[in-house]
Amino acid sequence: MSKLFGKVLKETGVVLNEVGLTIANEDHLRRVVSNHRPILNLFEKRPVISIGTFVAPNASVVGSVTLAVKSSVWYGAVVRGDVGNITIGNISNIQDNAVILTIPTSSALDDPTIGSDVTIGDSVTVGHGAIIKSSIIHNNVLIGQGAVIQEGSIINDDAIIAAGAVLLPNTFVKKGELFAGNPAVFIRQVTIDEIKANKTIAEEYANRANEHAEELRPYNADV
């Protein structure tokens, strides 16, 4: 009952604030009210969000999604675990407008043991606008901006998928390989410096996410 009463008071306050701004002709102080929920249950499928994660206010984390410690989902990104499960490891970042989704197991997968889930390891960077469907990505991997990882793909540790690359279904990327092109193919082995850079990028995004999380705290919140 107290929860319902509190909700009614809150909504009444919002309405009174809008009316007051209209009467006072102070539209410049009007705050945009949005019903968007960045973290959304889908019936019995509920996101599990660890302490220290950052989910941007206009991102969407839906359904059976697990975000590990210091992971981040940035502005406009969508992580949709409606068909299968999505797991994102420690210090991994899903950058702006990237999309991660699960699809039903189908004849598109050569190996019937490959499920519809997405598993992303630790210290993985998924670049802006990239798309990942029902695949496995191991640790310390860089997925470049606008890359497309199609269903059934497996990307091993320390790999790099170049910006704009398109991995066809069931592509297997070995440890420390660089893939590029459309369709993506093996280009070369990554260097020691590139492997270190993968980890550095992930750590930098974790630190940046913490700053954004602090800035987005409600006004007048206790410090």
Side-chain angles (χ1 to χ4, degrees):
M1 180 63 72
S2 59
K3 183 176 180 180
L4 177 61
F5 183 64
K7 183 178 180 181
V8 170
L9 283 179
K10 179 181 177 182
E11 293 179 351
T12 302
V14 170
V15 172
L16 289 174
N17 181 64
E18 294 295 301
V19 171
L21 291 174
T22 300
I23 294 173
N25 194 27
E26 293 181 338
D27 285 344
H28 63 287
L29 296 177
R30 193 181 303 276
R31 296 177 63 185
V32 176
V33 178
S34 172
N35 290 324
H36 173 73
R37 289 185 289 168
I39 301 171
L40 181 65
N41 298 338
L42 192 64
F43 299 102
E44 76 282 0
K45 297 178 180 179
R46 301 172 180 271
V48 177
I49 312 297
S50 299
I51 295 174
T53 59
F54 168 67
V55 178
N58 66 337
S60 297
V61 175
V62 182
S64 184
V65 177
T66 299
L67 300 180
V69 176
K70 292 187 178 181
S71 60
S72 55
V73 181
W74 290 80
Y75 303 94
V78 176
V79 182
R80 177 158 57 86
D82 52 354
V83 176
N85 304 312
I86 297 175
T87 302
I88 297 173
N90 300 315
I91 322 180
S92 291
N93 60 92
I94 312 304
Q95 295 180 3
D96 311 65
N97 297 318
V99 177
I100 300 178
L101 69 157
T102 56
I103 64 172
T105 302
S106 68
S107 58
L109 303 178
D110 294 336
D111 185 348
T113 65
I114 296 176
S116 62
D117 296 345
V118 172
T119 301
I120 295 176
D122 298 336
S123 300
V124 172
T125 293
V126 178
H128 305 86
I131 300 173
I132 299 174
K133 303 178 184 178
S134 296
S135 294
I136 298 172
I137 299 173
H138 290 278
N139 302 320
N140 200 46
V141 171
L142 172 63
I143 307 296
Q145 299 180 21
V148 178
I149 313 300
Q150 298 196 53
E151 60 272 12
S153 294
I154 299 176
I155 302 173
N156 282 283
D157 293 354
D158 303 329
I160 296 177
I161 308 302
V166 178
L167 267 64
L168 297 179
N170 304 298
T171 298
F172 185 82
V173 178
K174 296 179 182 179
K175 180 178 180 178
E177 290 187 336
L178 168 65
F179 268 56
N182 182 6
V185 295
F186 171 74
I187 302 297
R188 59 173 174 81
Q189 292 294 129
V190 303
T191 66
I192 298 287
D193 287 342
E194 287 170 332
I195 292 173
K196 292 179 180 178
N198 286 359
K199 186 174 182 180
T200 298
I201 292 170
E203 291 173 346
E204 288 177 348
Y205 258 87
N207 293 332
R208 197 174 305 168
N210 186 56
E211 294 176 356
H212 282 248
E214 286 294 322
E215 181 64 23
L216 288 169
R217 295 182 67 191
Y219 289 109
N220 300 320
D222 293 335
V223 176

